[in-house]
Amino acid sequence: MNIFKKIRKASILFFFSLTVAFGYANSFSDTAGNVQGNPIDTNEEIRDYISHHLQDSHDFTLFTNGKTGKHVGFPLPVIIFDEGFKFFMSSKFHHGTAVAESGGSYYKIYHGKIYKTNAQGDLTLDAHEHPTNKRPLDLSITKSVLGMLLVGLIMILLFSSLAKGYKKNAVPTGLSGILEPLVLYVRDEIAAPNIGPKYRKYMGFLLTVFFFIWISNLLGLTPLGFNITGQIAVTVCLALFTFIIVQFSGNKEYWKHIFWMPGVPVPMKIILMPIEILGMLTKPFSLLIRLFANITAGHFVVMSLIALTITMKAAFGPIAATGTSLILSLFITVIELLVAFLQAFIFTMLSALFIGMAVEEHH
């Protein structure tokens, strides 16, 4: 029975990885803004497409027909503040090829950002090819925002199920039986050892961060194309929450070690003060960069390996190029499954460590 269970788990993992690989491979038939509908087949077009895939989007596009250039997906709500709130659907932009009109004003998307323009969609570019047009405050429901809402809904359903399971039975079963070990792992291996006796106060935050990052990372490995934790704005917000909690939880010993280090001569205290303040600010920076860089690099590597089917086709033939690309991408995808959990663990563990340093009592 144990052998069959192992075979079943391996099969599930293989077919999941295969689905991801084919999902990415299928996406390279997209036009990525090529209005002629030509397939992507040059190194420059591949690099542009990968960069385009890693960015956020105002549309939810599942795939694009490489022959007709028709996008298959659905528009998302655009919410901007420009002398009042403006509401319309992103379909008005026609995937960045048209000018959207709302309330007598005209707007255009350029490299994923919305700029105010005229009816003809004219943009004034500076020497670095950056538009100088006014940018309204963009509060739109983008693809990443939709992904975060989906992750939040999944978490509510999962933990509601776990709570109901405890009411009915002391021993959780089914999906609750999978969640309980993870919750206990965060409590016993991350929160309690790093924070100490006061860990219960921060369990809600640590569990939320852990499962949000983990589920977001897993969702980013599906062919849906979400890249939530690969957006620098998301990792900044997560790190900012940790920073705020650490500072508001800090006791007098914590602040004394920053501004007036005990047990050292006065000249050293003056020298150490700016260093400690800098260290206080670099901790959240290390959190946000580590998560952002690892997730972005993982997506970039997987898509680059998938692109080998195109770049190696002329030299080695379509069968050899496709086989090599598929094997390498499956291997990296399996590693990405581990990285998805590892990055959630590292972010949560370091957050708990920083909180523990702030609440630690003097001995």
Side-chain angles (χ1 to χ4, degrees):
M1 292 297 292
N2 290 332
I3 295 177
F4 286 117
K5 288 182 179 179
K6 291 181 180 179
I7 293 175
R8 183 177 62 184
K9 291 180 180 178
S11 300
I12 293 173
L13 182 63
F14 173 77
F15 283 111
F16 176 81
S17 304
L18 195 66
T19 302
V20 174
F22 274 115
Y24 280 124
N26 191 43
S27 67
F28 274 101
S29 65
D30 292 359
T31 60
N34 190 334
V35 294
Q36 286 79 22
N38 297 322
I40 297 172
D41 53 9
T42 66
N43 291 336
E44 184 178 355
E45 289 177 338
I46 290 172
R47 285 195 298 269
D48 290 341
Y49 179 81
I50 293 176
S51 176
H52 173 79
H53 172 80
L54 295 176
Q55 295 174 356
D56 201 0
S57 172
H58 285 79
D59 298 289
F60 192 98
T61 303
L62 293 171
F63 63 91
T64 305
N65 190 309
K67 295 181 179 180
T68 63
K70 183 178 180 181
H71 300 280
V72 177
F74 53 87
L76 296 172
V78 175
I79 307 170
I80 55 178
F81 184 81
D82 180 32
E83 300 178 356
F85 282 100
K86 308 287 177 64
F87 303 90
F88 56 92
M89 299 301 291
S90 62
S91 55
K92 281 192 172 185
F93 290 118
H94 291 284
H95 302 279
T97 61
V99 178
E101 186 275 332
S102 179
S105 300
Y106 297 91
Y107 304 95
K108 184 177 181 179
I109 288 184
Y110 184 80
H111 289 288
K113 297 179 176 61
I114 298 177
Y115 295 89
K116 191 171 184 179
T117 181
N118 53 25
Q120 290 73 37
D122 297 327
L123 293 175
T124 304
L125 304 180
D126 60 17
H128 301 285
E129 298 296 321
H130 297 150
T132 58
N133 297 56
K134 178 184 176 182
R135 279 186 59 191
L137 179 62
D138 191 358
L139 303 173
S140 304
I141 306 297
T142 61
K143 192 172 185 177
S144 293
V145 174
L146 180 66
M148 287 189 283
L149 294 174
L150 179 59
V151 172
L153 178 61
I154 292 173
M155 290 175 62
I156 291 173
L157 294 176
L158 289 178
F159 285 102
S160 297
S161 174
L162 181 61
K164 291 178 182 178
Y166 276 119
K167 290 181 179 179
K168 296 179 181 179
N169 193 350
V171 180
T173 58
L175 189 60
S176 299
I178 299 175
L179 282 176
E180 185 190 43
L182 291 172
V183 173
L184 295 178
Y185 180 81
V186 174
R187 185 193 69 182
D188 299 335
E189 302 297 331
I190 299 178
N194 291 293
I195 298 177
K198 299 180 180 180
Y199 75 91
R200 292 184 181 275
K201 182 179 178 181
Y202 305 98
M203 276 298 295
F205 169 71
L206 294 177
L207 284 172
T208 302
V209 167
F210 177 82
F211 281 97
F212 175 82
I213 295 175
W214 185 45
I215 296 174
S216 297
N217 292 346
L218 291 179
L219 201 62
L221 292 174
T222 64
L224 294 175
F226 288 111
N227 186 29
I228 300 171
T229 47
Q231 305 297 328
I232 191 69
V234 175
T235 60
V236 166
C237 289
L238 291 173
L240 191 60
F241 278 120
T242 298
F243 177 76
I244 292 173
I245 290 174
V246 169
Q247 306 317 314
F248 278 92
S249 300
N251 55 26
K252 63 178 182 180
E253 297 296 332
Y254 170 74
W255 293 110
K256 185 186 295 184
H257 275 76
I258 291 177
F259 292 103
W260 205 246
M261 181 75 69
V264 298
V266 173
M268 287 300 298
K269 291 181 179 183
I270 298 174
I271 295 174
L272 289 173
M273 186 190 305
I275 297 175
E276 289 295 325
I277 294 174
L278 182 62
M280 180 179 66
L281 299 175
T282 55
K283 288 173 183 175
F285 183 76
S286 67
L287 282 177
L288 70 94
I289 289 297
R290 181 182 290 105
L291 179 60
F292 166 75
N294 280 280
I295 298 304
T296 301
H299 284 254
F300 192 90
V301 169
V302 171
M303 297 195 71
S304 297
L305 291 174
I306 294 294
L308 290 178
T309 57
I310 300 171
T311 58
M312 294 174 58
K313 187 183 297 184
F316 300 98
I319 297 178
T322 302
T324 303
S325 174
L326 182 61
I327 292 172
L328 292 175
S329 59
L330 285 176
F331 175 72
I332 295 298
T333 302
V334 172
I335 295 178
E336 280 294 291
L337 291 174
L338 174 62
V339 171
F341 176 85
L342 189 62
Q343 289 305 313
F345 166 78
I346 292 175
F347 193 100
T348 309
M349 188 270 291
L350 290 177
S351 296
L353 181 63
F354 296 155
I355 294 171
M357 293 168 62
V359 301
E360 184 181 13
E361 296 294 340
H362 177 68
H363 297 290

